Amino acid sequence: AYLNNKKTIAEGRRIPIDKAVENPTSTEIQDVCAAVGFNVLVEKNKMYPREWNRDVQYRGRVRIQLKQDDGNPCLPQFPTRKSVMLYAAETIPKLKTRTQKMGAGEQSLQQGEGGKKGKGKKKK
């Protein structure tokens, strides 16, 4: 919900809507954060309390170690939670799973448009 551009601020979004991502999953957030070098823990059965949809897609909590025991940040380029959220939202659309889904979606749209044109002509 923190990174979802389909949510309002009241529903739990924590970053600007123009930087947010459409329906990010906990595994996508985990992949992005682990690639940078964070210690990441995903709790699959946890859920955001304000989320009304109980689907598996919306489940999961990602826990990241931001600071060491002495209080210094683990990674100096990410001093705050918000910096991690903005980085994750910026990087998730570049994941291979996201780019493959986009390509398949465009192909199905083109096929659908062609079928609609044919049906329109037959109605006369």
Side-chain angles (χ1 to χ4, degrees):
Y2 291 2
L3 309 178
N4 194 346
N5 67 5
K6 299 288 184 196
K7 302 278 182 193
T8 63
I9 289 178
E11 291 171 331
R13 182 172 42 82
R14 299 250 177 128
I15 61 174
I17 199 162
D18 58 326
K19 295 183 181 180
V21 186
E22 185 176 338
N23 298 326
T25 63
S26 58
T27 51
E28 289 174 336
I29 297 169
Q30 176 196 12
D31 293 343
V32 167
C33 293
V36 174
F38 277 115
N39 292 336
V40 182
L41 175 70
V42 176
E43 298 169 343
K44 290 286 184 189
N45 292 328
K46 295 290 184 179
M47 213 174 135
Y48 190 62
R50 284 190 238 166
E51 180 60 56
W52 56 269
N53 194 338
R54 300 287 179 207
D55 290 346
V56 177
Q57 175 188 358
Y58 297 101
R59 288 181 184 246
R61 173 169 65 183
V62 181
R63 300 188 78 179
I64 299 170
Q65 183 181 357
L66 276 179
K67 296 186 178 183
Q68 299 168 345
D69 293 335
D70 61 358
N72 293 329
C74 289
L75 298 175
Q77 67 265 33
F78 300 110
T80 62
R81 291 179 191 178
K82 191 161 190 167
S83 64
V84 175
M85 285 188 250
L86 290 171
Y87 172 77
E90 178 184 312
T91 314
I92 286 174
K94 299 174 188 171
L95 288 173
K96 285 184 181 178
T97 54
R98 286 280 174 134
T99 54
Q100 287 172 354
K101 285 180 185 175
M102 292 293 184
E106 290 171 6
Q107 289 172 356
S108 64
L109 285 174
Q110 291 170 354
Q111 291 171 354
E113 289 171 3
K116 288 179 185 174
K117 289 178 186 174
K119 286 182 183 176
K121 291 178 183 174
K122 289 179 184 176
K123 278 188 176 180
K124 280 185 175 180

